[in-house]
Amino acid sequence: MKNISLSVIIGLLFSAIGTASLFLTRDPLMAAIWLSFGNGLILSNLRFNKPDAVGNMVASPIPKIRFYVGIALVVMAVVLLGVQVYMDMQQA
């Protein structure tokens, strides 16, 4: 539990909200926004432990590609949110 930061917990919460909203409201765009933001937070901030040469457990660094994919998911969530706002304005 030491490796799970506040942003990872928020990411898990947003992913759970996205999954629940997909099943309850059947609105795939809103679920994609929640899931994209939550998974982006999880990918860009989750750290794993691995043993070092002595045998002590140390937090390994986040790989660059995983960090970039996480940031891309957060950016995609913002873009999808803009699409959702645009579509809501067109309906009104």
Side-chain angles (χ1 to χ4, degrees):
M1 195 71 176
K2 291 186 283 185
N3 295 345
I4 297 179
S5 63
L6 182 62
S7 59
V8 172
I9 293 171
I10 291 171
L12 288 171
L13 178 68
F14 283 176
S15 294
I17 291 171
T19 304
S21 70
L22 180 63
F23 291 130
L24 295 176
T25 65
R26 308 271 186 209
D27 185 11
L29 183 59
M30 187 55 69
I33 294 167
W34 285 102
L35 285 167
S36 178
F37 191 72
N39 290 336
L41 285 175
I42 292 169
L43 274 177
S44 63
N45 293 316
L46 185 62
R47 294 183 180 268
F48 295 107
N49 285 339
K50 68 176 185 178
D52 61 358
V54 181
N56 298 328
M57 296 300 281
V58 295
S60 61
I62 299 171
K64 293 282 186 199
I65 188 68
R66 201 176 87 196
F67 180 75
Y68 293 142
V69 169
I71 296 300
L73 282 171
V74 171
V75 169
M76 188 174 78
V78 171
V79 170
L80 287 174
L81 186 60
V83 169
Q84 179 73 38
V85 168
Y86 177 75
M87 287 176 53
D88 288 344
M89 293 295 224
Q90 294 297 322
Q91 284 181 342

